[in-house]
Amino acid sequence: MAASHSNDSYHPAVIEAKWRQRWDERRTNATDIEGAGKPFYNLMMFPYPSAEGLHVGNAFAFVGADIYGRFQRLQGLDVFEPMGFDAFGIHSENYAIKVNTHPARLIPANIERFREQLRRLGLMLDWDHEVSTTDPRYYKWTQWIFLQLYQAGLAVKKKAPVNWCPECKTVLANEQVIDGFCERHPGVAVIQKFLEQWFFTITKYTERLLNNLEKLDWSESTRLLQRNWIGRSQGAELDFVVPTGGTITVFTTRPDTVFGATFLVLAPEHPMVEQVTGAERRPDVNAYRRHAADMDIVSRRKGGKEKTGVFTGGYARNPATGENIPIWIADYVLMEYGTGAIMAVPGHDERDFEFATQFGLEIREVVKPVAGPSSLPFVSYDGVLVNSGQFDGLHCREAIEKITAWLAENKLAVPRLQYRLHDWCISRQRYWGPPIPMIYCDACGAVPVPEKDLPVLLPLIEDFRPDDSGVSPLARHQEWYRVPCPQCGKAARRETDVSDTFLDSAWYFLRYPSTSFDDRPFDQKITKKWLPVRSYIGGNEHAVLHLMYARFITMVLHDLKLIDFEEPFTRFRAHGTIVKDGAKMSKSRGNVVIPDEFIADWGADTFRMYLMFLGPYQEGGDFQDSGMAGISRFLDKVWALVRATRGAAPPGAQLPTRVVRKLHQTIRKVTDDMAELHYNTAIAALMEYINVVRGGEQAAIASPPAELLDPLIVLLAPFAPHFAEECWERLGHHESVFDVAWPDYDEALAREDEIALVVQINGKVRARIMVPPGLSQEQAVERALADGAVQKFLDGGRIKKAVYVPDRLVNLVV
RNA sequence: GCCGGGGUGGCGAAAUCGGUAGACGCAGGGGACUUAAAAUCCCCUGGGGGCAACCCCAUGUGGGUUCGAAUCCCGCCCCCGGCACCA
């Protein structure tokens, strides 16, 4: 085929098509799930199949993961590299509404397009194990997982606020609320509404989710994001007794400042508000509570806005000073964090300071800086107590313990850990998701759908759009909605909410190896063999939600004895992001890179390799159209070398030392870099190698022997798989280049026999001398002194000291 | 505001247990080949000075530590990401 081109030059389109077909025919990329001896599960984040098609960010992520998988395969492992589609969810649904087409009709076409694009990228995917979250064969088991959690008491129903657009009469996601208004109705203020929703009590797993992070081989950046998301803070709960009856418990991380607590602030929804409000304050308090309740969740939580609040008329006793202090309500205190009430210490908290200043409340200084003048609010821990009775003079850290212990004696304090992480609300008042498998019966209450009745199919209704009826789309379909109670048989109703897409993706990696079974979500034996995942590569945009939920679901399944590991991903690496010409890619800027165009113009191998060359993989980089040319030239040169070879060197022939040495150095460098995902420098090393083979300033090798080319092609194979296969074949091999062994290097052959030793005088480079490696300091100094330039700069000065870094430099201090 | 990551030639970037700054590539310049062009090949290419051997300056910015700092420490500026009234 390629021979039909007159000059037999490199034609990517021809050889890429040829090898894609070969791989299919020979089942090169299929994994023997049952028989594999050295299983290596190489996972990448399955995409949401958008209508726009695969974007360059997907390509970057997948290619980087694929290269790692191919590298592991060449190391002799049985690599399993599956792919699937995360096609449920609000993105698909909103797009379907926009183009007025049912998502069930839209998605298959999108998936088909993605599959083709993924094929063109030359990924080593095993398509026998494809997964699609919208397939009833898949979401049956998503529902099954819900039931497992329900039965374990980890799925509970509770009221929670949602964003509600009075015009759409539907629930909005936070990102659909723009400055307090509906994205579709810019004049309509979004309000919060309380709905009964299903929650997974992930907070029961907080400590484990946090502590396990220590032992995971994950990108540090990802672990940090998770740690911050969990947001552990250590403090105490303090009791403020209300003389007229009741107690208000506050959470604080600064019990040391309790002597400065001059008022309390409750969240407007706090249950004690009713009780402490005085009759004359009631109209104002009620008005404020109504105002807070009407706000959308996003605006309500927004910081930095002007503080508002009202006095309730009630008082509570400060447990440290014994004084009665006023109780206020304000929306800067959130019901869902801590106890929904705070002790306000305006002298030492910026928010309380702002509030006190605004409403003329007392500000008391109880901590003085260790050094420097006082200036309130002083929020640092680096201070000593004042105006705090017997605790005066104590350092803050010490005072926290002492004061907590002192109040604890009188049962007014208890040490406490508080977390930012909330329970996971999985209810979505939408259409495009797996129905939550619950039935409500007037007699029996909430009844789970029996396992034998799974899946609860999502009906293919045409009016999937949210309308002004005020109920979920599914509730409008009586034939689906009305169902007999599985327990008592009386008329009952289905749950009409669907589950969050993050539940779909929280277990997909468990399904891939087990796609040939429909009677169980994952096979025990196969799961034991292939999991946990050995390498997971993806973006940090999923660092907290997806990765946290996947860890949580895995822990639950472990505790239910369904799997024998509790962390799903042994190793995770976050890749970087790609920008274009220094700016973020966006449609409005018109700088979006469409992979298809570059693949059509340059071939997938060049495109893959350029993506990996444009910057460090874990940091991302700048995509410049002109960059493709360099890689293309590089592959052309390799191609020319392969064409020029006349096979193995004749027996006894001496290979050029310089090239052999560079080859071994290159194998070493590339091997090390691949393991660390340092693809850009690995490619640079391959370029350096061919520059040496081709001669550079020295005489070129007209016809390099196979010994110098075979290893190069294997090193290149993970980056440019089609190209490498073609070269491998042309070099006379019959097996796939991915079924051979990664080359070994010989440390002795890689060693230089002469190195350039830098000679510094007083830290400035003054000469470079060629010396054999391994000199002692005395020998090095002696050689340096023998150099003319060195003598000139020493200018007869006396050497006070010599610093020698073996084989690198010698520094003479005069 | 807080927590991360980053700032190096005209451009993308190398080099961080402190040890030759700018590997590799792009762009640019010069030359070879060609009737010519493209492609390819060879050489040059951080700034300044010098006929030259060479010298001086240079890793956001100001200090510091060190024989020696892109790398470590302190202050400041800018860019990217995350969190954001979390008590």
Side-chain angles (χ1 to χ4, degrees):
Chain A
M1 31 183 6
S4 66
H5 294 272
S6 56
N7 58 1
D8 193 25
S9 56
Y10 168 44
H11 290 283
V14 177
I15 71 158
E16 287 176 10
K18 166 181 165 183
W19 286 98
R20 279 200 302 270
Q21 198 188 338
R22 282 270 182 96
W23 290 334
D24 287 348
E25 286 163 6
R26 296 177 176 176
R27 298 184 51 71
T28 309
N29 299 337
T31 314
D32 180 0
I33 294 288
E34 310 258 355
K38 294 178 176 172
F40 186 94
Y41 193 161
N42 189 49
L43 186 66
M44 45 194 101
M45 289 179 168
F46 68 163
Y48 150 64
S50 70
E52 285 83 28
L54 185 113
H55 57 81
V56 71
N58 297 132
F60 183 69
F62 296 151
V63 167
D66 182 63
I67 288 168
Y68 191 70
R70 289 183 182 273
F71 171 64
Q72 294 299 343
R73 174 168 174 161
L74 286 162
Q75 300 275 333
L77 301 179
D78 296 305
V79 177
F80 177 46
E81 196 170 292
M83 181 53 75
F85 299 99
D86 189 17
F88 263 142
I90 200 160
H91 288 296
S92 303
E93 184 172 328
N94 285 349
Y95 183 77
I97 291 168
K98 193 174 136 199
V99 300
N100 202 28
T101 308
H102 198 284
R105 277 194 295 278
L106 232 37
I107 293 296
N110 291 355
I111 287 181
E112 194 39 58
R113 167 123 190 264
F114 262 71
R115 253 195 231 113
E116 185 51 31
Q117 289 178 306
L118 290 165
R119 248 173 68 77
R120 291 239 177 97
L121 275 176
L123 304 173
M124 194 176 66
L125 296 174
D126 182 351
W127 286 107
D128 295 347
H129 293 269
E130 180 186 331
V131 141
S132 173
T133 56
T134 56
D135 184 341
R137 286 169 54 228
Y138 181 85
Y139 73 69
K140 168 182 179 176
W141 300 112
T142 305
Q143 293 171 335
W144 177 84
I145 284 175
F146 174 90
L147 294 179
Q148 303 309 303
L149 272 90
Y150 177 77
Q151 275 141 23
L154 294 166
V156 298
K157 211 168 189 201
K158 52 187 182 187
K159 282 210 164 191
V162 292
N163 296 302
W164 180 266
C165 171
E167 191 60 34
C168 308
K169 296 221 167 71
T170 189
V171 169
L172 303 179
N174 281 348
E175 50 272 23
Q176 294 178 286
V177 181
I178 317 285
D179 291 327
F181 293 98
C182 173
E183 66 171 358
R184 282 189 290 181
H185 304 100
V188 180
V190 173
I191 59 168
Q192 56 176 319
K193 222 176 163 169
F194 278 79
L195 297 181
E196 287 268 323
Q197 318 218 42
W198 284 102
F199 283 83
F200 285 164
T201 51
I202 188 173
T203 51
K204 288 186 180 163
Y205 283 73
T206 315
E207 277 290 314
R208 252 162 101 189
L209 288 166
L210 185 64
N211 294 336
N212 280 6
L213 283 175
E214 313 260 327
K215 21 180 209 195
L216 291 178
D217 177 14
W218 280 27
S219 289
E220 192 47 45
S221 58
T222 313
R223 295 198 295 177
L224 197 77
L225 286 166
Q226 290 221 341
R227 247 179 241 126
N228 293 345
W229 189 257
I230 290 169
R232 181 184 196 265
S233 55
Q234 199 163 8
E237 282 186 355
L238 308 186
D239 284 347
F240 286 67
V241 175
V242 180
T244 56
T247 298
I248 292 168
T249 303
V250 305
F251 173 73
T252 180
T253 53
R254 297 296 304 268
D256 55 316
T257 63
V258 64
F259 284 87
T262 51
F263 58 101
L264 291 185
V265 187
L266 308 190
E269 309 85 341
H270 195 282
M272 281 294 286
V273 173
E274 201 54 39
Q275 203 173 324
V276 300
T277 301
E280 74 288 356
R281 301 293 311 149
R282 197 163 292 276
D284 282 1
V285 168
N286 287 345
Y288 187 79
R289 296 179 86 183
R290 231 177 293 119
H291 160 75
D294 282 347
M295 241 192 290
D296 70 284
I297 297 162
V298 181
S299 324
R300 169 71 192 271
R301 296 242 184 114
K302 200 173 157 198
K305 65 178 193 228
E306 193 167 290
K307 296 271 180 296
T308 58
V310 295
F311 177 45
T312 62
Y315 291 83
R317 189 182 315 120
N318 181 319
T321 63
E323 294 167 309
N324 279 332
I325 57 174
I327 304 169
W328 286 62
I329 62 172
D331 67 359
Y332 82 92
V333 175
L334 309 172
M335 194 60 220
E336 58 275 21
Y337 186 79
T339 60
I342 61 158
M343 64 173 199
V345 184
H348 306 284
D349 181 282
E350 280 175 19
R351 297 150 302 179
D352 299 343
F353 182 85
E354 196 190 325
F355 193 81
T357 309
Q358 190 157 337
F359 294 101
L361 295 160
E362 186 190 351
I363 299 169
R364 198 177 287 179
E365 182 178 42
V366 291
V367 180
K368 274 210 183 302
V370 167
S374 300
S375 143
L376 297 183
F378 175 72
V379 300
S380 157
Y381 284 87
D382 206 12
V384 292
L385 270 60
V386 294
N387 298 322
S388 299
Q390 70 266 43
F391 301 100
D392 280 358
L394 284 183
H395 191 267
C396 290
R397 299 277 178 197
E398 201 182 345
I400 288 173
E401 304 209 350
K402 294 261 163 70
I403 291 183
T404 306
W406 172 62
L407 292 174
E409 278 171 33
N410 302 313
K411 302 252 182 295
L412 292 170
V414 53
R416 179 126 154 88
L417 288 174
Q418 183 66 44
Y419 304 91
R420 212 191 71 98
L421 183 73
H422 288 111
D423 281 337
W424 173 15
C425 177
I426 60 139
S427 294
R428 295 291 180 274
Q429 293 73 32
R430 288 289 184 144
Y431 168 72
W432 194 234
I436 293 174
M438 292 296 293
I439 290 170
Y440 301 102
C441 166
D442 290 333
C444 310
V447 180
V449 173
E451 204 177 311
K452 67 174 171 53
D453 295 339
L454 295 182
V456 177
L457 287 172
L458 178 69
L460 290 178
I461 56 175
E462 281 308 316
D463 55 339
F464 60 89
R465 297 158 191 80
D467 66 6
D468 56 7
S469 67
V471 286
S472 291
L474 289 177
R476 299 195 296 262
H477 286 261
Q478 298 294 314
E479 74 288 355
W480 184 85
Y481 176 56
R482 304 281 173 196
V483 67
C485 171
Q487 256 169 40
C488 68
K490 285 194 208 125
R493 306 166 306 280
R494 284 194 189 279
E495 165 69 62
T496 56
D497 286 353
V498 298
S499 60
D500 181 9
T501 11
F502 281 113
L503 180 57
D504 304 329
S505 57
W507 74 282
Y508 76 111
F509 50 91
L510 285 165
R511 181 66 184 163
Y512 278 138
S514 295
T515 43
S516 22
F517 312 97
D518 281 332
D519 59 338
R520 50 200 190 276
F522 40 84
D523 180 79
Q524 298 279 335
K525 225 175 96 203
I526 285 174
T527 304
K528 203 177 171 77
K529 180 173 186 148
W530 286 94
L531 282 107
V533 169
R534 291 277 296 277
S535 168
Y536 194 14
I537 290 176
N540 258 344
E541 67 273 17
H542 290 120
V544 284
L545 298 178
H546 163 61
L547 288 173
M548 191 81 79
Y549 294 148
R551 293 180 61 212
F552 164 64
I553 293 293
T554 304
M555 274 180 201
V556 172
L557 295 175
H558 168 264
D559 291 356
L560 295 175
K561 308 249 184 298
L562 294 165
I563 50 180
D564 63 357
F565 51 92
E566 66 169 29
E567 286 291 344
F569 316 122
T570 309
R571 172 180 151 118
F572 175 79
R573 290 292 179 275
H575 63 246
T577 48
I578 300 194
V579 298
K580 176 75 195 292
D581 301 326
K584 200 191 249 179
M585 281 182 226
S586 70
K587 273 191 222 162
S588 57
R589 262 199 203 86
N591 64 347
V592 175
V593 174
I594 312 287
D596 307 44
E597 294 169 7
F598 286 89
I599 292 173
D601 290 353
W602 299 90
D605 288 324
T606 300
F607 181 65
R608 284 170 63 107
M609 222 163 156
Y610 175 61
L611 285 177
M612 297 303 112
F613 187 63
L614 56 72
Y617 188 62
Q618 288 168 91
E619 283 160 44
D622 195 317
F623 190 102
Q624 301 183 335
D625 296 0
S626 59
M628 212 72 60
I631 300 290
S632 179
R633 275 174 217 153
F634 166 73
L635 292 179
D636 281 340
K637 288 173 196 169
V638 176
W639 184 265
L641 291 174
V642 169
R643 279 183 64 205
T645 187
R646 281 191 284 273
Q654 186 70 39
L655 297 173
T657 321
R658 202 171 66 94
V659 183
V660 171
R661 184 188 300 134
K662 189 68 179 175
L663 173 63
H664 285 267
Q665 290 172 346
T666 303
I667 297 170
R668 179 175 61 193
K669 170 78 176 151
V670 173
T671 307
D672 292 350
D673 280 352
M674 296 298 270
E676 297 301 321
L677 273 41
H678 295 162
Y679 300 141
N680 57 333
T681 49
I683 293 169
L686 294 172
M687 290 172 167
E688 282 189 53
Y689 174 62
I690 69 151
N691 288 345
V692 170
V693 173
R694 296 173 76 250
E697 69 280 5
Q698 312 221 358
I701 306 169
S703 171
E707 288 87 339
L708 296 178
L709 292 184
D710 281 2
L712 167 68
I713 300 305
V714 181
L715 297 180
L716 185 56
F719 296 102
H722 319 84
F723 176 88
E725 288 275 36
E726 181 67 23
C727 290
W728 194 245
E729 189 179 63
R730 282 164 181 250
L731 286 170
H733 304 285
H734 300 290
E735 74 282 64
S736 165
V737 70
F738 296 102
D739 289 331
V740 304
W742 189 255
D744 286 322
Y745 60 90
D746 183 333
E747 204 60 71
L749 293 175
R751 195 171 301 134
E752 296 285 350
D753 53 13
E754 205 180 29
I755 50 142
L757 185 72
V758 168
V759 183
Q760 294 185 333
I761 291 165
N762 291 334
K764 280 191 195 279
V765 178
R766 293 304 184 186
R768 293 173 179 85
I769 54 176
M770 297 309 293
V771 298
L775 290 187
S776 69
Q777 172 160 342
E778 289 71 31
Q779 291 171 315
V781 172
E782 193 184 320
R783 295 260 195 151
L785 291 175
D787 186 84
V790 174
Q791 278 304 324
K792 197 182 103 197
F793 279 96
L794 282 177
D795 195 26
R798 205 172 55 85
I799 296 170
K800 280 197 299 200
K801 182 179 172 185
V803 181
Y804 178 55
V805 182
D807 298 344
R808 305 220 56 162
L809 66 72
V810 58
N811 186 12
L812 306 172
V813 186
V814 295

